Amino acid sequence: RDLKAARVSNDSRKLARAAHNMAVCLIEQGHLAAAETLLNESAAEFKAAGQNPACVLFLEAQMAGMRGDKVTALEKARLAKDGLVKEDHADARLESRLLVADLLCEGGRLDEVQAMMKDISRLAKQTESARLRAWEAKIQAFLLVREAPEKAAEQYDKRAALLQECRLYHPMA
């Protein structure tokens, strides 16, 4: 409904946001092809409105990861991270860094993740999002698991509690 209203209004900012939000929903449902079409529209409208399309790159990175294309996922995630500036919402900056760190963890590039953790931890302390703090705890645990398994276990317990707080049970399975 919001997307139709935005198209009728011909307001690039509203259309970019509405297409982006609909794409988020479609990604959650696994409809990646339909989401990709909306993301293309969203990116074009963000550009037409003179706004930063980094949030579109972030979703494209997530979709590439879901498709198993880790190289493209990391490339898009880094572009999203680099496209966000200090004035952008702190949670968006944190989420983009967490995605890059997560992809680097999957690729075994732990030195690069370790180098990012100071910035990630600083941003995580500023967020009220239990979901983002849980993601940070997952990455912390991943870094600790070999050298300090008891501390890694504490991070996994922290993550589980945070995921329960925001009623996200699937990632705990």
Side-chain angles (χ1 to χ4, degrees):
R1 188 176 78 188
D2 289 341
L3 185 57
K4 286 180 184 178
R7 285 184 176 134
V8 169
S9 74
N10 203 25
D11 181 329
S12 290
R13 293 175 72 185
K14 286 181 184 176
L15 185 50
R17 182 59 51 204
H20 174 272
N21 291 343
M22 180 60 79
V24 169
C25 295
L26 291 170
I27 291 167
E28 288 293 320
Q29 296 170 354
H31 302 297
L32 302 185
E36 189 169 16
T37 299
L38 285 170
L39 287 177
N40 290 336
E41 181 178 9
S42 180
E45 295 298 332
F46 273 124
K47 289 176 186 172
Q51 291 190 309
N52 187 346
C55 60
V56 172
L57 290 167
F58 179 81
L59 291 178
E60 289 174 344
Q62 284 184 315
M63 289 187 348
M66 292 169 76
R67 289 180 173 136
D69 184 353
K70 301 301 182 185
V71 172
T72 300
L74 183 56
E75 176 185 302
K76 297 261 185 188
R78 282 189 164 145
L79 287 171
K81 178 184 78 68
D82 295 344
L84 293 168
V85 294
K86 195 155 185 86
E87 293 77 33
D88 287 316
H89 196 277
D91 280 1
R93 293 193 334 267
L94 173 59
E95 192 166 21
S96 68
R97 283 156 176 74
L98 287 167
L99 180 58
V100 170
D102 209 3
L103 290 164
L104 289 169
C105 281
E106 288 179 18
R109 296 162 66 177
L110 302 183
D111 290 342
E112 291 176 68
V113 176
Q114 192 63 52
M116 297 176 66
M117 286 313 297
K118 184 176 180 180
D119 189 36
I120 288 173
S121 294
R122 179 184 55 77
L123 288 168
K125 288 176 185 170
Q126 298 171 14
T127 188
E128 293 181 19
S129 170
R131 181 183 62 83
L132 294 178
R133 290 193 324 267
W135 198 354
E136 184 229 1
K138 172 190 165 193
I139 293 169
Q140 290 281 13
F142 194 86
L143 290 172
L144 291 167
V145 77
R146 288 196 180 128
E147 295 175 15
E150 64 287 342
K151 289 184 180 181
E154 290 172 12
Q155 290 296 316
Y156 280 121
D157 289 344
K158 176 182 175 182
R159 177 178 186 251
L162 290 164
L163 289 170
Q164 286 176 349
E165 180 182 321
C166 53
R167 301 181 193 275
L168 291 173
Y169 304 107
H170 181 71
M172 294 187 316

